[in-house]
Each structure stands twice: as structure tokens, then as C-alpha cells.
Amino acid sequence: GNQNYLQLKKYMDASNLINQKKFSEARAEFEELGDFKNSKNKIIESYYEEGKFLLGEREFDAAREAFTKAGDYKDSAKKIKDVSMAEAKSLLKNEKFTEAANLFEKLGEHEESQKALFKYAKYLIEHEDFDNAREVLKSIEGYEGADELLKSIEPTPTETQEPDE
């Protein structure tokens, strides 16, 4: 009876550690409990909750790792994609356009990838890097607005001057 009470108290304390965002400590406690109640499942749950917390903190790699360790708990697989989408959006916000475009493309988000490259082209134009802007716009031909923007920055042929006679 007393042993069971001590295990139950330890179990409840470990559950509270998850709520306090002390995930490693919680896992250590649940591991010590072994097969008591659903301690093994609580370890998985702690990874899932840690992933949610880390995603909120924008610690994308650590969040992805935590959701991976959570395995098939709840919607962990979807959460891994959510982490990557949040990371791509963060890259875009921080003007890391090509990294964002590559990550969107990797996620199967072709339209978002094109949008990131279009923003990159506009950024290049604002910084008067017309050659690179033209290259980017040519890579997304057909994207709404890309062709018009490309035409607007194409070099105009200069007339050749006839030497004075």
C-alpha cells in the first residue's frame, strides 16, 4: 500500500513537471517509475508537449526533434510539417528568401516557394541588383506578376552613336 502511494505521488509529481515545462526532469521520473500506470506513454507525451513549447519559442530544430521522438502520439507527424512551415515563414520574414523558397518546395508548397522567390526578386530590385532579379524572375516565369516585373527591368537597347564627320 505504502509503496503504491509513493509511486502514485511520484507519478503525479512527474505529470506536474510536464505542466511546468520541465520535460527532461519529467521523463527521468517516468523512466524510474517503469511500468507504473502509463508512465511509458507519459514519456512520449512529454516529448509532444516539449515540441509544442519549442515551436512556440521558434526553436525549430529542437521542436522537430521532440515531435519525432513523440512518434505517432496524437498528430506528431502533422506537427513536424507545421514546424517546417513555421520555419519557412520565419526565414521569409527575415529576408532569407532562397532558403524559405527551398524549404517551401521541399514541403510540397510550390505556390509558397514561387511567392518567396517573387518577394526576393522585388527585394533585389529595391537594392538595384537588376541582373540577379532578372535571373530570379526568369526562374518563376508564369507566376502572377513575374513576367510584367521582368519586362519593367529589362535593359533597353541603347542607340549606337554615329561618329561626327
Side-chain angles (χ1 to χ4, degrees):
N2 196 27
Q3 177 65 23
N4 205 25
Y5 169 77
L6 292 174
Q7 284 183 306
L8 184 59
K9 180 171 179 359
K10 189 172 195 159
Y11 180 89
M12 299 302 285
D13 290 345
S15 295
N16 284 331
L17 289 172
I18 292 175
N19 296 333
Q20 295 169 18
K21 316 244 181 295
K22 296 178 180 176
F23 305 106
S24 299
E25 292 175 43
R27 284 191 288 274
E29 294 292 319
F30 285 122
E31 283 173 19
E32 281 183 29
L33 285 166
D35 291 330
F36 183 77
K37 287 184 80 91
N38 64 342
S39 293
K40 291 188 185 327
N41 194 47
K42 292 295 265 183
I43 292 169
I44 302 300
E45 179 187 335
S46 75
Y47 281 118
Y48 181 85
E49 292 301 324
E50 184 174 22
K52 289 187 346 188
F53 172 75
L54 292 167
L55 176 56
E57 295 293 308
R58 309 187 75 63
E59 293 183 32
F60 302 116
D61 291 336
R64 197 177 293 109
E65 183 180 334
F67 285 124
T68 300
K69 287 181 178 178
D72 59 359
Y73 183 83
K74 289 189 177 181
D75 60 346
S76 293
K78 181 191 174 302
K79 291 287 188 195
I80 292 169
K81 184 174 180 178
D82 292 348
V83 169
S84 295
M85 284 295 289
E87 181 177 16
K89 289 175 182 176
S90 177
L91 287 166
L92 190 58
K93 184 179 176 192
N94 291 305
E95 298 182 342
K96 295 184 178 179
F97 302 103
T98 55
E99 293 97 324
N102 290 336
L103 187 50
F104 280 128
E105 196 65 44
K106 184 177 165 188
L107 292 166
E109 299 289 337
H110 184 69
E111 187 73 20
E112 291 296 320
S113 176
Q114 300 277 284
K115 188 188 300 182
L117 290 173
F118 188 70
K119 286 183 177 184
Y120 183 40
K122 287 174 144 182
Y123 172 88
L124 291 169
I125 291 168
E126 287 172 17
H127 291 85
E128 299 183 7
D129 187 350
F130 300 110
D131 291 338
N132 283 322
R134 278 190 282 279
E135 291 301 311
V136 172
L137 289 167
K138 286 176 184 172
S139 77
I140 57 170
E141 278 183 310
Y143 180 78
E144 186 179 333
D147 298 335
E148 296 80 23
L149 192 55
L150 180 58
K151 285 177 191 162
S152 75
I153 63 168
E154 285 292 356
T156 54
T158 55
E159 293 179 33
T160 53
Q161 298 280 324
E162 291 293 322
D164 290 348
E165 291 186 33

